[in-house]
Amino acid sequence: MTVTIVGSQLGDEGKGGIVDLYGDAADIVVRYQGGDNAGHTVVYDDEKYKLSLVPSGAIRGKVGVLGNGCVVNPRTLFDEIDDLRERGLDPDVRVAERAHAILPYHRRLDGIEEEAKADSDLDAGTTGRGIGPTYEDKVGRRGIRIGDLLDPDVLRDRLEYVVPQKRAIVEDVYELEAGEELDIDALFEEFSEFGRRLREEEMTINAGEFVSDRIAAGDNVVFEGAQGTSIDIDHGIYPYVTSSNPTAGGACTGTGIAPTTVGQGEIVGIVKAYLSRVGTGPLPTELEGDEESEDLAHYIREEGGEYGTVTGRPRRVGWLDMPMLRHATRASGFTGLAVNHVDVLAGLDEVKVGHSYTLDGEETFTMPPTTERWGECEPNYRTFDGWTDANWDLVADEGYDAIPANAREYLEYVSDELDTPIYAVGVGPNREQTAVLEHPF
Ligand code: IMP
Protein backbone atom coordinates (compact mmCIF):
# COMPACT_ATOMS: atom_id res chain seq x y z
CA MET A 1 0.00 0.00 0.00
CA THR A 2 1.05 3.60 -0.50
CA VAL A 3 0.73 6.76 1.56
CA THR A 4 1.45 10.07 -0.14
CA ILE A 5 2.45 13.02 2.02
CA VAL A 6 1.68 16.44 0.57
CA GLY A 7 2.31 19.92 1.97
CA SER A 8 -0.98 21.82 1.83
CA GLN A 9 0.40 25.33 2.21
CA LEU A 10 3.72 27.02 1.50
CA GLY A 11 6.17 24.33 2.58
CA ASP A 12 7.55 23.85 6.10
CA GLU A 13 4.30 22.29 7.37
CA GLY A 14 6.24 19.64 9.29
CA LYS A 15 6.01 16.91 6.65
CA GLY A 16 9.27 15.36 7.84
CA GLY A 17 7.83 14.58 11.28
CA ILE A 18 4.80 12.84 9.77
CA VAL A 19 6.90 10.88 7.27
CA ASP A 20 9.02 9.88 10.23
CA LEU A 21 5.92 8.89 12.22
CA TYR A 22 4.64 6.63 9.42
CA GLY A 23 8.17 5.56 8.54
CA ASP A 24 8.28 2.64 10.97
CA ALA A 25 5.50 0.90 9.08
CA ALA A 26 7.01 1.77 5.71
CA ASP A 27 9.60 -0.22 3.80
CA ILE A 28 10.48 2.49 1.31
CA VAL A 29 10.32 6.27 1.40
CA VAL A 30 10.28 7.85 -2.05
CA ARG A 31 10.78 11.52 -2.78
CA TYR A 32 9.09 12.57 -6.00
CA GLN A 33 10.14 16.17 -6.61
CA GLY A 34 12.43 18.97 -5.52
CA GLY A 35 16.01 18.65 -4.41
CA ASP A 36 18.21 20.06 -1.69
CA ASN A 37 15.90 23.07 -1.35
CA ALA A 38 13.96 20.95 1.15
CA GLY A 39 15.17 20.60 4.68
CA HIS A 40 14.13 18.35 7.50
CA THR A 41 15.49 17.54 10.90
CA VAL A 42 15.12 14.04 12.24
CA VAL A 43 15.81 13.10 15.82
CA TYR A 44 16.85 9.47 16.15
CA ASP A 45 18.40 7.87 19.25
CA ASP A 46 18.81 11.37 20.74
CA GLU A 47 20.91 12.42 17.75
CA LYS A 48 19.78 15.25 15.49
CA TYR A 49 20.16 14.83 11.74
CA LYS A 50 19.64 17.72 9.35
CA LEU A 51 18.95 16.44 5.87
CA SER A 52 17.94 18.07 2.65
CA LEU A 53 18.20 15.26 0.13
CA VAL A 54 18.48 11.87 1.81
CA PRO A 55 14.91 10.74 2.62
CA SER A 56 14.43 10.64 6.37
CA GLY A 57 13.44 6.96 6.33
CA ALA A 58 16.98 6.06 5.29
CA ILE A 59 18.15 6.95 8.81
CA ARG A 60 15.84 4.32 10.24
CA GLY A 61 17.07 1.55 7.99
CA LYS A 62 14.45 1.99 5.27
CA VAL A 63 15.20 2.28 1.59
CA GLY A 64 15.24 5.94 0.54
CA VAL A 65 14.50 6.62 -3.12
CA LEU A 66 14.99 9.87 -5.04
CA GLY A 67 12.51 9.56 -7.90
CA ASN A 68 12.85 10.78 -11.47
CA GLY A 69 10.96 13.97 -10.59
CA CYS A 70 13.74 15.05 -8.25
CA VAL A 71 16.72 17.21 -9.09
CA VAL A 72 19.77 15.79 -7.40
CA ASN A 73 22.93 17.64 -6.48
CA PRO A 74 25.48 14.80 -6.16
CA ARG A 75 27.70 16.99 -3.98
CA THR A 76 24.94 17.37 -1.40
CA LEU A 77 23.90 13.74 -1.73
CA PHE A 78 27.36 12.35 -1.03
CA ASP A 79 28.08 14.93 1.68
CA GLU A 80 24.95 13.80 3.50
CA ILE A 81 25.63 10.10 2.97
CA ASP A 82 29.27 10.45 4.10
CA ASP A 83 28.21 12.42 7.14
CA LEU A 84 25.68 9.75 8.11
CA ARG A 85 28.30 7.03 7.65
CA GLU A 86 30.74 8.92 9.84
CA ARG A 87 28.03 8.95 12.49
CA GLY A 88 27.69 5.20 12.30
CA LEU A 89 24.67 4.83 10.00
CA ASP A 90 24.53 3.04 6.68
CA PRO A 91 21.77 4.70 4.65
CA ASP A 92 20.37 2.77 1.68
CA VAL A 93 19.69 5.50 -0.89
CA ARG A 94 18.69 4.81 -4.49
CA VAL A 95 18.53 7.43 -7.20
CA ALA A 96 16.45 7.33 -10.36
CA GLU A 97 18.58 7.32 -13.50
CA ARG A 98 15.94 9.61 -14.98
CA ALA A 99 16.39 12.24 -12.25
CA HIS A 100 18.24 15.37 -13.35
CA ALA A 101 21.55 16.40 -11.84
CA ILE A 102 22.11 19.87 -10.41
CA LEU A 103 25.45 21.16 -11.63
CA PRO A 104 27.43 24.05 -10.13
CA TYR A 105 26.38 26.38 -12.97
CA HIS A 106 22.73 25.91 -12.00
CA ARG A 107 23.44 27.35 -8.57
CA ARG A 108 25.36 30.22 -10.07
CA LEU A 109 22.52 31.04 -12.48
CA ASP A 110 19.94 30.79 -9.69
CA GLY A 111 21.77 33.52 -7.80
CA ILE A 112 22.33 35.69 -10.86
CA GLU A 113 18.69 35.59 -11.94
CA GLU A 114 17.32 36.23 -8.48
CA GLU A 115 19.51 39.30 -8.23
CA ALA A 116 18.43 40.50 -11.64
CA LYS A 117 14.76 40.02 -10.76
CA ALA A 118 15.03 41.81 -7.42
CA ASP A 119 14.72 45.26 -9.02
CA SER A 120 11.23 44.41 -10.27
CA ASP A 121 10.19 42.44 -7.16
CA LEU A 122 9.92 39.26 -9.20
CA ASP A 123 12.55 37.35 -7.23
CA ALA A 124 11.03 34.26 -5.66
CA GLY A 125 13.36 34.31 -2.67
CA THR A 126 14.78 30.97 -3.79
CA THR A 127 16.95 28.79 -1.64
CA GLY A 128 19.79 29.39 -4.10
CA ARG A 129 20.25 25.67 -4.68
CA GLY A 130 19.92 25.83 -8.47
CA ILE A 131 16.52 24.14 -8.48
CA GLY A 132 14.78 26.36 -11.06
CA PRO A 133 17.66 26.42 -13.56
CA THR A 134 17.94 22.61 -13.39
CA TYR A 135 14.23 22.07 -14.08
CA GLU A 136 14.52 24.67 -16.88
CA ASP A 137 17.21 22.57 -18.52
CA LYS A 138 15.14 19.43 -18.04
CA VAL A 139 12.18 20.95 -19.86
CA GLY A 140 14.51 22.57 -22.41
CA ARG A 141 15.93 19.10 -23.16
CA ARG A 142 19.47 20.15 -22.35
CA GLY A 143 19.66 18.70 -18.84
CA ILE A 144 22.11 16.11 -17.56
CA ARG A 145 20.49 13.11 -15.96
CA ILE A 146 21.85 10.90 -13.23
CA GLY A 147 22.02 8.10 -15.81
CA ASP A 148 24.27 10.31 -17.97
CA LEU A 149 26.83 10.50 -15.18
CA LEU A 150 27.31 6.75 -15.46
CA ASP A 151 28.59 6.97 -19.02
CA PRO A 152 31.62 9.27 -19.41
CA ASP A 153 31.12 9.67 -23.18
CA VAL A 154 27.52 10.79 -22.78
CA LEU A 155 28.46 13.11 -19.92
CA ARG A 156 31.22 14.74 -21.98
CA ASP A 157 28.87 15.23 -24.97
CA ARG A 158 26.17 16.79 -22.81
CA LEU A 159 28.63 19.15 -21.10
CA GLU A 160 30.16 20.22 -24.38
CA TYR A 161 26.71 21.14 -25.67
CA VAL A 162 25.34 22.92 -22.64
CA VAL A 163 28.26 24.64 -20.90
CA PRO A 164 29.08 27.13 -23.72
CA GLN A 165 25.42 28.26 -23.62
CA LYS A 166 25.59 28.84 -19.89
CA ARG A 167 28.92 30.60 -20.22
CA ALA A 168 27.42 32.93 -22.82
CA ILE A 169 24.55 33.75 -20.48
CA VAL A 170 26.91 34.58 -17.64
CA GLU A 171 29.43 36.49 -19.73
CA ASP A 172 27.42 38.06 -22.54
CA VAL A 173 23.96 38.53 -21.05
CA TYR A 174 24.88 39.41 -17.49
CA GLU A 175 28.44 40.58 -18.24
CA LEU A 176 29.87 38.67 -15.30
CA GLU A 177 32.94 36.54 -14.98
CA ALA A 178 32.64 32.79 -15.43
CA GLY A 179 34.40 30.62 -12.88
CA GLU A 180 35.14 26.92 -12.29
CA GLU A 181 31.42 26.19 -12.48
CA LEU A 182 31.70 26.68 -16.25
CA ASP A 183 34.91 24.79 -16.85
CA ILE A 184 34.02 21.69 -18.89
CA ASP A 185 37.10 19.70 -17.85
CA ALA A 186 36.64 20.43 -14.15
CA LEU A 187 32.93 19.54 -14.36
CA PHE A 188 33.68 16.37 -16.27
CA GLU A 189 36.25 15.25 -13.76
CA GLU A 190 34.05 15.87 -10.74
CA PHE A 191 30.81 14.54 -12.15
CA SER A 192 32.23 11.44 -13.84
CA GLU A 193 33.67 10.61 -10.43
CA PHE A 194 30.18 10.94 -8.93
CA GLY A 195 29.00 8.61 -11.70
CA ARG A 196 31.68 6.10 -10.80
CA ARG A 197 30.62 6.21 -7.16
CA LEU A 198 26.93 5.87 -7.98
CA ARG A 199 27.70 2.80 -10.09
CA GLU A 200 30.15 1.26 -7.64
CA GLU A 201 27.71 1.63 -4.76
CA GLU A 202 24.85 0.33 -6.95
CA MET A 203 22.72 3.34 -6.12
CA THR A 204 21.01 4.00 -9.44
CA ILE A 205 17.66 2.50 -10.37
CA ASN A 206 14.81 2.60 -12.83
CA ALA A 207 12.53 4.18 -10.23
CA GLY A 208 9.15 3.18 -11.68
CA GLU A 209 10.18 -0.45 -12.02
CA PHE A 210 11.94 -0.58 -8.66
CA VAL A 211 9.06 0.92 -6.69
CA SER A 212 6.27 -0.93 -8.49
CA ASP A 213 8.05 -4.27 -8.00
CA ARG A 214 8.28 -3.50 -4.30
CA ILE A 215 4.60 -2.54 -4.13
CA ALA A 216 3.70 -5.79 -5.93
CA ALA A 217 5.78 -7.69 -3.37
CA GLY A 218 3.65 -6.18 -0.58
CA ASP A 219 5.92 -3.41 0.64
CA ASN A 220 4.52 -0.27 2.24
CA VAL A 221 5.62 2.83 0.41
CA VAL A 222 5.58 6.47 1.52
CA PHE A 223 5.71 9.04 -1.26
CA GLU A 224 7.23 12.08 0.41
CA GLY A 225 6.37 15.42 -1.15
CA ALA A 226 8.66 18.35 -0.47
CA GLN A 227 7.60 22.04 -0.37
CA GLY A 228 3.83 22.68 -0.58
CA THR A 229 0.77 23.17 -2.79
CA SER A 230 0.89 26.96 -2.90
CA ILE A 231 4.45 26.90 -4.20
CA ASP A 232 3.65 24.21 -6.81
CA ILE A 233 4.79 25.36 -10.27
CA ASP A 234 1.26 24.78 -11.68
CA HIS A 235 -1.04 25.28 -8.72
CA GLY A 236 0.91 27.78 -6.67
CA ILE A 237 1.38 31.52 -6.48
CA TYR A 238 3.38 31.85 -9.68
CA PRO A 239 6.06 33.21 -10.10
CA TYR A 240 6.85 32.97 -6.36
CA VAL A 241 6.94 29.20 -6.60
CA THR A 242 9.36 26.32 -6.75
CA SER A 243 9.82 24.64 -10.12
CA SER A 244 8.19 21.26 -9.45
CA ASN A 245 4.85 19.67 -8.47
CA PRO A 246 4.53 19.00 -4.73
CA THR A 247 0.83 18.15 -5.28
CA ALA A 248 -0.17 14.48 -5.33
CA GLY A 249 -0.02 14.21 -9.13
CA GLY A 250 3.73 14.70 -8.76
CA ALA A 251 3.90 11.38 -6.91
CA CYS A 252 2.93 9.68 -10.18
CA THR A 253 4.96 11.65 -12.73
CA GLY A 254 7.89 11.95 -10.34
CA THR A 255 8.22 8.21 -9.74
CA GLY A 256 6.70 6.31 -12.65
CA ILE A 257 3.89 4.88 -10.51
CA ALA A 258 0.39 5.04 -11.98
CA PRO A 259 -2.31 7.42 -10.67
CA THR A 260 -4.52 4.36 -10.16
CA THR A 261 -1.95 2.95 -7.72
CA VAL A 262 -1.30 6.20 -5.87
CA GLY A 263 -5.06 6.86 -5.80
CA GLN A 264 -5.78 3.52 -4.18
CA GLY A 265 -3.60 4.53 -1.27
CA GLU A 266 -3.96 7.34 1.22
CA ILE A 267 -3.06 10.95 0.50
CA VAL A 268 -2.36 12.87 3.67
CA GLY A 269 -2.33 16.66 3.57
CA ILE A 270 0.03 18.22 6.06
CA VAL A 271 -1.29 21.46 7.53
CA LYS A 272 0.50 23.90 9.77
CA ALA A 273 -1.96 25.50 12.23
CA TYR A 274 -0.90 28.93 10.92
CA LEU A 275 1.03 30.10 7.86
CA SER A 276 4.73 30.64 7.44
CA ARG A 277 6.59 31.70 4.36
CA VAL A 278 10.26 32.14 3.56
CA GLY A 279 9.77 33.51 0.06
CA THR A 280 8.40 36.68 -1.44
CA GLY A 281 4.98 37.59 -2.91
CA PRO A 282 1.60 38.43 -1.38
CA LEU A 283 0.21 36.72 1.72
CA PRO A 284 -3.35 37.92 2.52
CA THR A 285 -3.47 36.60 6.09
CA GLU A 286 0.04 37.80 6.96
CA LEU A 287 0.49 39.24 10.43
CA GLU A 288 2.08 42.58 9.65
CA GLY A 289 1.42 46.29 9.27
CA ASP A 290 0.66 47.29 12.89
CA GLU A 291 2.36 46.80 16.20
CA GLU A 292 -0.09 44.23 17.54
CA SER A 293 0.23 42.06 14.42
CA GLU A 294 4.01 42.37 14.35
CA ASP A 295 4.15 41.35 18.03
CA LEU A 296 1.96 38.34 17.34
CA ALA A 297 4.08 37.36 14.35
CA HIS A 298 7.19 37.69 16.50
CA TYR A 299 5.66 35.51 19.23
CA ILE A 300 4.64 32.77 16.80
CA ARG A 301 8.00 32.94 14.97
CA GLU A 302 9.91 32.45 18.20
CA GLU A 303 7.59 29.79 19.64
CA GLY A 304 7.53 27.88 16.38
CA GLY A 305 11.21 28.33 15.49
CA GLU A 306 10.13 29.84 12.21
CA TYR A 307 13.51 30.23 10.58
CA GLY A 308 14.34 28.54 7.25
CA THR A 309 15.88 25.06 7.68
CA VAL A 310 18.03 25.45 4.58
CA THR A 311 18.75 29.18 4.62
CA GLY A 312 18.17 30.26 8.25
CA ARG A 313 16.02 33.20 7.05
CA PRO A 314 13.26 34.39 9.45
CA ARG A 315 9.89 33.32 8.06
CA ARG A 316 6.91 35.59 7.49
CA VAL A 317 3.94 34.49 9.61
CA GLY A 318 0.17 34.62 9.04
CA TRP A 319 -3.12 33.13 10.18
CA LEU A 320 -4.39 29.88 8.69
CA ASP A 321 -5.84 30.48 5.22
CA MET A 322 -8.84 28.24 4.48
CA PRO A 323 -9.20 29.16 0.77
CA MET A 324 -5.60 27.96 0.39
CA LEU A 325 -6.47 24.69 2.12
CA ARG A 326 -9.62 24.16 0.03
CA HIS A 327 -7.50 24.61 -3.08
CA ALA A 328 -4.92 22.11 -1.79
CA THR A 329 -7.55 19.56 -0.79
CA ARG A 330 -9.11 19.63 -4.25
CA ALA A 331 -5.78 19.54 -6.13
CA SER A 332 -4.46 16.50 -4.24
CA GLY A 333 -7.62 14.73 -3.02
CA PHE A 334 -6.61 14.41 0.61
CA THR A 335 -7.97 11.36 2.40
CA GLY A 336 -6.68 12.58 5.74
CA LEU A 337 -5.04 15.57 7.40
CA ALA A 338 -2.18 15.97 9.83
CA VAL A 339 -2.31 19.35 11.58
CA ASN A 340 0.99 20.43 13.08
CA HIS A 341 2.24 23.11 15.47
CA VAL A 342 -1.00 23.30 17.45
CA ASP A 343 1.17 23.75 20.57
CA VAL A 344 2.82 26.85 19.07
CA LEU A 345 -0.44 28.82 19.19
CA ALA A 346 -1.05 27.97 22.85
CA GLY A 347 -1.14 31.00 25.11
CA LEU A 348 -2.81 33.36 22.64
CA ASP A 349 -6.08 34.98 23.77
CA GLU A 350 -7.67 34.29 20.44
CA VAL A 351 -6.74 32.48 17.25
CA LYS A 352 -7.96 33.69 13.89
CA VAL A 353 -8.55 31.85 10.65
CA GLY A 354 -9.01 33.37 7.21
CA HIS A 355 -12.33 31.66 6.43
CA SER A 356 -12.94 33.26 3.02
CA TYR A 357 -11.83 36.27 1.00
CA THR A 358 -13.58 39.33 -0.29
CA LEU A 359 -12.58 40.00 -3.88
CA ASP A 360 -14.28 42.71 -5.96
CA GLY A 361 -16.89 43.04 -3.24
CA GLU A 362 -17.85 39.35 -3.42
CA GLU A 363 -17.14 36.56 -0.95
CA THR A 364 -14.98 33.80 -2.41
CA PHE A 365 -13.92 30.50 -0.85
CA THR A 366 -10.89 29.43 -2.91
CA MET A 367 -7.77 31.07 -4.25
CA PRO A 368 -8.00 33.00 -7.51
CA PRO A 369 -5.69 31.63 -10.22
CA THR A 370 -3.40 34.63 -10.49
CA THR A 371 -1.12 35.80 -7.74
CA GLU A 372 -1.87 39.44 -8.44
CA ARG A 373 -5.59 38.78 -7.81
CA TRP A 374 -4.71 36.77 -4.72
CA GLY A 375 -2.86 39.84 -3.46
CA GLU A 376 -6.12 41.80 -3.81
CA CYS A 377 -8.05 39.35 -1.60
CA GLU A 378 -9.14 40.66 1.78
CA PRO A 379 -9.50 37.83 4.31
CA ASN A 380 -12.74 37.41 6.26
CA TYR A 381 -11.70 36.07 9.62
CA ARG A 382 -13.33 33.64 12.04
CA THR A 383 -12.11 34.03 15.59
CA PHE A 384 -11.62 31.12 17.98
CA ASP A 385 -10.95 31.31 21.70
CA GLY A 386 -7.31 30.57 22.38
CA TRP A 387 -6.04 27.56 24.32
CA THR A 388 -3.64 27.46 27.21
CA ASP A 389 -0.32 25.72 27.22
CA ALA A 390 -0.44 22.05 28.19
CA ASN A 391 1.90 19.22 28.97
CA TRP A 392 2.12 18.30 25.31
CA ASP A 393 4.05 15.07 25.84
CA LEU A 394 1.18 13.89 28.01
CA VAL A 395 -1.33 15.08 25.42
CA ALA A 396 0.50 13.10 22.73
CA ASP A 397 0.46 10.01 24.96
CA GLU A 398 -3.19 10.29 25.88
CA GLY A 399 -4.37 11.16 22.39
CA TYR A 400 -6.83 13.49 20.74
CA ASP A 401 -9.24 13.88 23.66
CA ALA A 402 -6.44 15.28 25.82
CA ILE A 403 -5.98 18.23 23.44
CA PRO A 404 -7.42 21.41 25.02
CA ALA A 405 -11.11 21.79 24.09
CA ASN A 406 -10.65 25.13 22.28
CA ALA A 407 -7.92 23.65 20.11
CA ARG A 408 -10.19 20.72 19.28
CA GLU A 409 -12.89 23.14 18.23
CA TYR A 410 -10.40 24.77 15.90
CA LEU A 411 -9.30 21.41 14.48
CA GLU A 412 -12.87 20.24 13.97
CA TYR A 413 -13.68 23.43 12.08
CA VAL A 414 -10.74 22.74 9.70
CA SER A 415 -11.74 19.12 9.23
CA ASP A 416 -15.41 20.01 8.57
CA GLU A 417 -14.58 22.79 6.12
CA LEU A 418 -12.29 20.47 4.14
CA ASP A 419 -14.58 17.47 4.58
CA THR A 420 -11.51 15.43 5.47
CA PRO A 421 -10.77 13.54 8.69
CA ILE A 422 -7.86 14.43 10.91
CA TYR A 423 -5.36 11.59 11.17
CA ALA A 424 -2.78 13.24 13.40
CA VAL A 425 -2.18 16.37 15.43
CA GLY A 426 1.39 17.55 15.94
CA VAL A 427 1.99 19.08 19.38
CA GLY A 428 5.80 19.30 19.32
CA PRO A 429 8.76 18.91 17.00
CA ASN A 430 9.47 15.20 17.54
CA ARG A 431 7.45 12.39 16.09
CA GLU A 432 6.54 11.16 19.57
CA GLN A 433 4.84 14.51 20.14
CA THR A 434 1.93 13.62 17.89
CA ALA A 435 -1.61 12.66 18.87
CA VAL A 436 -2.48 9.92 16.42
CA LEU A 437 -6.15 9.37 15.54
CA GLU A 438 -5.72 7.13 12.52
CA HIS A 439 -2.67 5.34 11.17
CA PRO A 440 -2.92 5.04 7.39
CA PHE A 441 -0.82 1.84 7.16
P1 IMP B 1 13.58 27.22 -4.96
O1 IMP B 1 12.82 25.97 -4.75
O2 IMP B 1 14.88 27.27 -4.24
O3 IMP B 1 13.72 27.53 -6.43
O4 IMP B 1 12.72 28.44 -4.35
C1 IMP B 1 11.51 28.85 -4.93
C2 IMP B 1 10.50 29.26 -3.86
O5 IMP B 1 10.13 28.12 -3.11
C3 IMP B 1 11.05 30.26 -2.87
O6 IMP B 1 9.99 31.11 -2.49
C4 IMP B 1 11.49 29.40 -1.71
O7 IMP B 1 11.50 30.11 -0.50
C5 IMP B 1 10.42 28.33 -1.73
N1 IMP B 1 10.87 27.04 -1.16
C6 IMP B 1 11.69 26.14 -1.73
N2 IMP B 1 11.87 25.08 -0.94
C7 IMP B 1 11.15 25.31 0.16
C8 IMP B 1 10.92 24.54 1.34
O8 IMP B 1 11.40 23.42 1.53
N3 IMP B 1 10.11 25.12 2.26
C9 IMP B 1 9.51 26.35 2.07
N4 IMP B 1 9.71 27.08 0.98
C10 IMP B 1 10.52 26.57 0.02
Side-chain angles (χ1 to χ4, degrees), residues 3 19 29 41 56 60 74 81 88 176 228 254 276 287 310 320 322 331 350 360 410:
V3 175
V19 171
V29 179
T41 308
S56 49
R60 299 186 191 277
I81 290 175
L176 297 167
S276 70
L287 281 160
V310 174
L320 194 70
M322 291 308 293
E350 53 183 34
D360 297 336
Y410 180 83

Side-chain angles (χ1 to χ4, degrees), residues 275 281-289 293 301 316-319 379 381:
L275 286 189
L283 194 59
T285 61
E286 184 165 15
L287 281 160
E288 49 122 34
S293 304
R301 186 178 302 115
R316 299 157 69 191
V317 173
W319 293 122
Y381 289 108

